[in-house]
Amino acid sequence: MELSGGEIVMEALRREGVEHIFGYPGGAALHIYDALYQQDAVEHILVRHEQGAVHAADGYARSTGKPGVVLVTSGPGVTNCVTGIATANMDSIPMVILSGQVATKAIGSDAFQECDAVGITRPCVKHNFLVDRIEDLAEVMAKAFYVATSGRPGPVLVDIPKDITAPHIKVPFEYPEQIRMRSYNPTVKGHPGQIRKAVDLLLSAERPMVYSGGGVILADASEELTALTRELGYPITNTLMGLGAYPATDEQFVGMLGMHGTYEANMAMHECDVLFAIGARFDDRVTGELEHFCPHARIVHIDVDPASISKNVHVDVPIVGDVRHVLDDMLKVVRASDRRPDPQALETWWGQIRRWAATDCLAYDREADVIKPQYVVEKLYELTKDSETYVTSDVGQHQMFAAQFYKFDKPRRWINSGGLGTMGFGLPSAMGVKLAHPDATVVCVTGEASIQMCIQELSTMKQYDLPVVIVNLNNRYMGMVRQWQEFFYSKRYSHSYVDALPDFVALAESYGHRGVRVENKADVEGALREALERRGEVTFLDFITDQTENVYPMIAAGKGHHEMHLSSDRELA
């Protein structure tokens, strides 16, 4: 059959199994939008800002494992996407962004709404394409989905000039069944020799530690991770991005690690003799000061991306491959081996970890009259732990309180911007999650500063009937900025105080949603319970929380895992 460029885009989306795309129309993309109008297979979600489109596609992708898809126009349409693209790239989220471009003959002429989309996005995509022949469009679309979803996932941009999609130009359509790219061949299976070497090292450990990251979730390897960790009997910690990869309520889980990780997780990292890193990238919020990082440990590292191996920290046994395949192979080797971990050494190690855990590093003032943000998250967890619940967050103190106090037992339930730390992510990503899981409970934990960055998406939620519970932990500050200014800038709160906040209740109601302000601690549980039970509408819960509460534990910049603030009045550990 012969199709126009716009029809080729739609047919490619259909063949890739795409059901929803998030976008915003404009002149350069109108041929594609016209083709979109004339088909029923793909539903378009009209957002209110292109950044919201990318975050919504991101949330859809993180919660499903399927690629999120975005359609925007040229110029400001695509530049407004850059924050969302960089967010997805940092967290390795599969995504395909389709951007309209001015006609090929106008490229380079400073035409209206022209920008170098490929050049602008090159540093923050996995790959990008500029289509300059309609005959190449189908193959480029197939390559975009293949690259976005294989190996280490990531965002791929396809920039399509308007004349390529003109309805009067049609070419024979043929969609590739398989993609082969000479310079791109991701490794799936780990090297058997390295796997045996890793197992030998793990079984020789006296103070082992398992450190798993978001790569486990991206590879759908939680089941394999859980089986191997339980087989070994070793303590395990997850990164912020890895929460849910291993059940948080399991007795072998010692909490999140890193800057705001638990005392026991960080101390175990510091004192371990063998570190087993899986799908994690040793970022600075996890390692702290590199020269103090795991000073006694030999390190095994599994990652699908060879560029991540020994990038920040020297690794003794590297294994490049798909995490799920490698863990499965390792489990088979462990079970086939006559050797087992030294039970006496392991019991001594667990005894030390239990003594660290007795510090109760997440303690807070539960008797306070003012609403503590930790209390709100704890109540939210209690009310939703037995239901299918997804929690998105923005970035700041509320993000860390959610990570510390909500116990994620399943993968893909915790949706947040870990790498780039993007304020404004929580609300639109919740839209994407809700669209993907209409029967599940979706909660956005946010703060009064973060949510204002994409709050216009309340309109999108109304149009498409996407009922989400919004938990706004409103302390009238950019909380994490204030905390750093308190610790490191002698309480000079330069521009971290938000002194012209909207009436969030009235604002939510103006969009046609339900708004509730909660100022008394005694009303917290009731407000949450009612919002969760009113499943057919968006409820915006504006919790007026303690302005001075800080996130503890905290590792200051330049410190190691063993040097933590446990509270404002407790000495460094």
Side-chain angles (χ1 to χ4, degrees):
M1 59 182 171
E2 290 195 339
L3 299 178
S4 69
E7 292 168 336
I8 290 172
V9 170
M10 289 302 114
E11 183 63 20
L13 295 179
R14 188 185 69 79
R15 296 199 181 204
E16 295 292 344
V18 175
E19 297 176 312
H20 309 283
I21 60 173
F22 304 85
Y24 203 98
L30 284 186
H31 293 330
I32 303 175
Y33 269 89
D34 195 51
L36 175 68
Y37 185 84
Q38 300 180 58
Q39 56 82 54
D40 297 321
V42 181
E43 181 188 17
H44 180 268
I45 306 299
L46 175 65
V47 298
R48 301 303 185 258
H49 190 287
E50 289 88 348
Q51 182 177 346
V54 189
H55 292 330
D58 189 316
Y60 180 92
R62 292 182 199 237
S63 69
T64 63
K66 302 175 184 176
V69 183
V70 174
L71 173 59
V72 295
T73 192
S74 62
V78 68
T79 56
N80 283 344
C81 290
V82 171
T83 297
I85 294 172
T87 301
N89 191 52
M90 285 286 280
D91 291 342
S92 306
I93 304 305
M95 188 180 297
V96 174
I97 303 97
L98 307 174
S99 58
Q101 181 56 278
V102 300
T104 49
K105 66 180 181 182
I107 291 176
S109 69
D110 293 336
F112 176 69
Q113 291 195 332
E114 181 195 1
C115 76
D116 179 4
V118 168
I120 287 171
T121 60
R122 182 172 292 121
C124 61
V125 292
K126 184 176 179 183
H127 195 64
N128 56 21
F129 300 90
L130 171 62
V131 184
D132 56 8
R133 293 184 347 125
I134 185 174
E135 292 82 1
D136 299 335
L137 183 54
E139 184 175 2
V140 168
M141 290 290 293
K143 285 181 177 178
F145 278 92
Y146 172 65
V147 173
T149 57
S150 58
R152 179 178 181 170
V156 175
L157 179 130
V158 181
D159 200 33
I160 311 173
K162 187 170 185 179
D163 54 315
I164 300 294
T165 56
H168 64 281
I169 301 174
K170 298 196 175 189
V171 297
F173 175 78
E174 185 176 349
Y175 201 69
E177 293 186 2
Q178 282 193 321
I179 291 296
R180 288 187 176 84
M181 300 174 70
R182 188 177 59 181
S183 59
Y184 178 71
N185 294 291
T187 300
V188 175
K189 296 287 286 184
H191 190 281
Q194 291 297 89
I195 288 175
R196 284 194 295 274
K197 191 183 295 184
V199 169
D200 285 344
L201 182 56
L202 282 172
L203 294 177
S204 72
E206 295 187 348
R207 302 187 309 279
M209 189 65 180
V210 181
Y211 152 43
S212 74
V216 175
I217 294 174
L218 293 170
D220 292 323
S222 296
E223 187 177 328
E224 288 76 10
L225 172 71
T226 302
L228 181 57
T229 303
R230 287 176 175 164
E231 182 77 21
L232 294 168
Y234 290 174
I236 179 169
T237 180
N238 287 336
T239 67
L240 177 71
M241 295 306 301
L243 293 177
Y246 189 89
T249 55
D250 189 273
E251 60 184 10
Q252 287 177 237
F253 184 64
V254 297
M256 184 175 72
L257 83 158
M259 178 175 281
H260 296 296
T262 65
Y263 181 64
E264 52 269 36
N266 283 327
M267 290 301 294
M269 289 285 286
H270 186 72
E271 296 294 340
C272 71
D273 65 348
V274 173
L275 180 66
F276 183 23
I278 310 156
R281 56 188 173 86
F282 296 89
D283 79 274
D284 61 302
R285 288 295 175 102
V286 162
T287 62
E289 181 61 33
L290 281 174
E291 68 179 50
H292 301 309
F293 179 71
C294 296
H296 317 293
R298 300 188 69 191
I299 300 176
V300 177
H301 187 195
I302 306 171
D303 205 292
V304 72
D305 181 6
S308 289
I309 302 286
S310 292
K311 180 178 182 179
N312 298 326
V313 172
H314 172 74
V315 171
D316 297 282
V317 184
I319 305 174
V320 176
D322 178 90
V323 167
R324 185 163 60 86
H325 285 281
V326 175
L327 287 175
D328 189 50
D329 289 344
M330 289 185 73
L331 184 60
K332 290 173 183 171
V333 174
V334 168
R335 286 176 172 167
S337 173
D338 294 331
R339 193 175 175 187
R340 282 290 174 269
D342 181 336
Q344 187 171 354
L346 195 56
E347 178 52 36
T348 301
W349 179 230
W350 271 112
Q352 177 60 67
I353 292 172
R354 284 191 284 270
R355 285 191 289 279
W356 285 324
T359 303
D360 193 14
C361 66
L362 297 180
Y364 66 93
D365 184 4
R366 296 176 184 278
E367 305 304 318
D369 292 331
V370 66
I371 298 175
K372 293 288 187 179
Q374 301 97 319
Y375 177 75
V376 177
V377 176
E378 281 188 328
K379 286 298 174 186
L380 174 65
Y381 171 68
E382 289 174 12
L383 294 172
T384 58
K385 64 182 179 182
D386 296 324
S387 62
E388 190 74 359
T389 302
Y390 294 78
V391 177
T392 73
S393 85
D394 273 298
V395 170
Q397 283 187 324
H398 61 272
Q399 176 193 30
M400 291 301 132
F401 289 131
Q404 290 177 332
F405 288 88
Y406 199 99
K407 301 182 191 307
F408 295 95
D409 277 342
K410 295 179 181 178
R412 300 193 184 279
R413 301 305 193 271
W414 167 233
I415 312 292
N416 83 119
S417 169
L420 197 64
T422 307
M423 295 170 70
F425 175 85
L427 187 64
S429 65
M431 295 192 320
V433 174
K434 188 63 183 178
L435 191 70
H437 309 278
D439 297 328
T441 298
V442 180
V443 181
C444 171
V445 177
T446 185
E448 79 290 334
S450 278
I451 197 166
Q452 290 189 82
M453 289 198 176
C454 276
I455 202 165
Q456 70 282 353
E457 300 307 334
L458 285 171
S459 176
T460 308
M461 298 167 87
K462 182 65 178 177
Q463 179 174 347
Y464 294 97
D465 189 20
L466 299 170
V468 169
V469 176
I470 300 163
V471 174
N472 186 36
L473 301 177
N474 184 350
N475 65 1
R476 287 80 70 209
Y477 271 108
M478 298 173 204
M480 194 60 83
V481 174
R482 183 201 56 73
Q483 178 169 336
W484 280 50
Q485 290 172 332
E486 178 184 330
F487 285 13
F488 310 122
Y489 297 89
S490 302
K491 299 185 178 181
R492 293 187 295 276
Y493 299 124
S494 178
H495 300 276
S496 58
Y497 179 68
V498 185
D499 59 357
L501 292 172
D503 180 337
F504 287 109
V505 172
L507 184 60
E509 290 175 348
S510 75
Y511 281 106
H513 304 309
R514 177 171 173 262
V516 178
R517 181 170 297 108
V518 184
E519 300 181 83
N520 298 313
K521 181 180 176 182
D523 298 330
V524 168
E525 181 172 348
L528 283 169
R529 188 183 297 278
E530 184 175 2
L532 293 165
E533 290 175 352
R534 297 168 74 109
R535 299 181 60 82
E537 62 183 350
V538 172
T539 299
F540 192 118
L541 296 171
D542 186 27
F543 290 99
I544 308 303
T545 61
D546 186 350
Q547 285 192 289
T548 63
E549 189 65 33
N550 288 327
V551 181
Y552 296 107
M554 179 177 180
I555 301 174
K559 301 294 184 182
H561 281 142
H562 60 305
E563 301 171 292
M564 281 167 275
H565 284 282
L566 296 181
S567 71
S568 61
D569 56 359
R570 296 168 80 178
E571 298 289 331
L572 286 173

